[in-house]
Amino acid sequence: MTGITISAVRTRTSILDKSLSKGKGEVSLSCFALLFSELVQYCQNRVYTVPELQNKLAEIGTEVGHKITDLLVVREKGGKLWKSLFGREADKLEHANDDERTYYIIEKEALVNKFISVPKDKGSLNCASFIAGIVEAILCDCGFQAKVTAHWHKGTTYMVKFDDAVVARDKQLEDR
Amino acid sequence: MSRAGTKLDSKKVNSELFTLTYGALVAQLLKDYENVEDVNKQLERMGYNMGIRLIEDFLARTGSGRCYDFRDTAEKIQTGFKIFLGITPTITNWSAAGDEFSLCFEANPLTEFVELPDHCLNLKYCNVLIGVLRGACEMVQMEIACWFVQDQLKNDNVTELRIKFIKRLEDAIPAGED
């Protein structure tokens, strides 16, 4: 039984007509881990070296980060990004002694590294580059230009290096 | 890691992180492949890889045994969606022979925030699910076929996934395990 077609185009309900979810939904960790594993394998097949792989992951993470900024802005929700995103707070935040631009976020066991065993020939690979990409995108979108990289140190350490301009601006604000 | 980390509940992640990661993956595939059909295929393949491992997690968590019939299977697949994606699709439209049914999704964490641009109308955005089901069932000696009948991203009211039983994979039973 088919109706009479009057127009060739059906009116589309735009995604903007729908209300935004509260963002409290959850999926199982194994699901995410396996999806991430597919992502890593896919990227790996398209690059030659470990740094290239990390860059690729960071690049894709950046895409995710931009979208998360959008969500944060639309929801006008400040507060604890790390906790809402990764289910718990980062283990430690440190400020580099010798460089005021540099901060370290330390996680003993990064979410994405939980089920990843790094092959011997790729010792330096840290798939948390993906997370670093997310964090970098969010910081940059919010006006804190920075470079974020992931390293193996006390688990996973994200090195957040702010631009000089950001630090200078911060100082100006403090002086006022 | 804290003790709380071993609780079942904490084995969850924010669904938006999952949604956006999947979205970024699909976007990357669209960039890398010229042909949308190839993207569909690649998504299915990735889903298959996930499915053959997810089934282990499913069996470990539910402790469920063999299915008595395909209706049994349908319910288990439904439970699987609940466990892994936190959604409960409805089981409907059984064929008379009982070898084919539909799963209808009202909401789906994969497609949140998604709108298909016009040049991607052939994209089966959720094709990963098809791969997951095929992989998972294959690991329990069942060959199935599945495909999308309706898709909310293409402006249908629901997303309908059709699943058909093909055959039991007798040969796949490892020697000495009968």
Side-chain angles (χ1 to χ4, degrees):
Chain A
M1 197 179 71
T2 45
I4 304 160
T5 309
I6 295 170
S7 160
V9 190
R10 214 192 280 199
T11 6
R12 295 183 122 197
T13 30
S14 155
I15 194 160
L16 298 175
D17 297 330
K18 288 185 238 162
S19 58
L20 188 65
S21 74
K22 289 220 174 64
K24 297 257 191 287
E26 286 179 324
V27 300
S28 96
L29 175 59
S30 34
C31 231
F32 176 77
L34 287 171
L35 177 71
F36 185 68
S37 143
E38 286 304 312
L39 179 69
V40 174
Q41 288 175 54
Y42 174 76
C43 293
Q44 196 180 357
N45 286 335
R46 298 194 147 243
V47 297
Y48 296 102
T49 65
V50 168
E52 275 180 311
L53 175 56
Q54 296 193 142
N55 286 344
K56 190 96 196 149
L57 287 172
E59 203 182 291
I60 297 177
T62 311
E63 295 299 318
V64 175
H66 289 314
K67 306 244 151 63
I68 291 174
T69 316
D70 284 348
L71 278 173
L72 288 175
V73 172
V74 174
R75 288 204 183 108
E76 295 176 26
K77 192 172 83 178
K80 293 178 173 163
L81 168 75
W82 205 275
K83 190 151 200 284
S84 67
L85 214 49
F86 307 124
R88 60 201 183 88
E89 286 173 37
D91 294 312
K92 241 185 196 169
L93 174 69
E94 286 179 4
H95 193 175
N97 288 328
D98 49 352
D99 184 4
E100 56 179 3
R101 302 189 301 157
T102 309
Y103 288 79
Y104 301 106
I105 303 170
I106 301 171
E107 267 197 309
K108 286 197 195 77
E109 192 181 46
L111 176 72
V112 294
N113 280 336
K114 198 163 178 183
F115 299 112
I116 289 181
S117 43
V118 180
K120 282 218 170 64
D121 58 323
K122 296 193 176 61
S124 62
L125 171 67
N126 194 329
C127 293
S129 297
F130 177 72
I131 304 290
I134 295 182
V135 176
E136 182 177 305
I138 297 174
L139 285 173
C140 291
D141 289 345
C142 295
F144 294 91
Q145 271 64 32
K147 183 80 202 141
V148 184
T149 45
H151 306 271
W152 288 114
H153 175 72
K154 297 184 187 167
T156 295
T157 296
Y158 304 96
M159 185 168 83
V160 183
K161 213 173 191 146
F162 288 103
D163 273 10
D164 288 327
V166 173
V167 178
R169 185 183 60 197
D170 211 44
K171 278 217 179 108
Q172 266 182 346
L173 287 174
E174 256 171 37
D175 289 346
R176 250 185 237 172
Chain B
M1 205 180 151
S2 64
R3 277 281 84 191
T6 52
K7 261 192 344 202
L8 199 73
D9 270 18
S10 59
K11 287 191 175 163
K12 298 263 183 191
V13 293
N14 181 323
S15 72
E16 286 174 352
L17 181 65
F18 177 76
T19 306
L20 294 173
T21 304
Y22 183 68
L25 173 66
V26 178
Q28 185 66 42
L29 291 178
L30 281 168
K31 245 185 259 171
D32 292 342
Y33 291 95
E34 286 177 7
N35 191 334
V36 173
E37 271 317 310
D38 290 341
V39 176
N40 293 338
K41 243 181 254 164
Q42 181 67 31
L43 286 174
E44 206 268 355
R45 201 175 309 147
M46 290 176 158
Y48 177 83
N49 294 337
M50 294 170 71
I52 57 179
R53 296 176 69 180
L54 269 180
I55 184 74
E56 286 175 33
D57 200 27
F58 177 82
L59 294 176
R61 283 189 203 213
T62 59
S64 59
R66 281 185 182 285
C67 294
Y68 171 70
D69 57 12
F70 205 45
R71 285 180 189 270
D72 214 4
T73 311
E75 275 167 30
K76 287 187 179 164
I77 291 177
Q78 189 185 37
T79 314
F81 274 101
K82 177 81 198 139
I83 293 177
F84 295 118
L85 291 183
I87 48 175
T88 312
T90 34
I91 305 171
T92 55
N93 298 343
W94 276 99
S95 66
D99 65 340
E100 218 182 302
F101 66 95
S102 292
L103 284 177
C104 287
F105 300 84
E106 295 281 339
N108 174 355
L110 286 179
T111 58
E112 202 169 355
F113 316 131
V114 177
E115 196 168 51
L116 290 186
D118 287 338
H119 65 275
C120 290
L121 288 179
N122 288 326
L123 176 68
K124 292 174 186 151
Y125 189 87
C126 296
N127 229 22
V128 73
L129 293 182
I130 292 201
V132 168
L133 290 176
R134 184 169 71 86
C137 287
E138 194 177 298
M139 285 298 116
V140 287
Q141 280 89 47
M142 230 189 300
E143 187 183 327
I144 57 157
C146 51
W147 62 93
F148 287 102
V149 185
Q150 299 187 74
D151 189 342
Q152 278 167 323
L153 292 178
K154 299 184 181 144
N155 227 13
D156 293 318
N157 284 329
V158 289
T159 295
E160 181 180 350
L161 186 60
R162 192 89 184 136
I163 300 169
K164 184 181 168 64
F165 177 81
I166 306 288
K167 64 168 190 255
R168 268 183 70 181
L169 298 166
E170 304 280 355
D171 295 337
I173 302 171
E177 286 211 10
D178 36 18

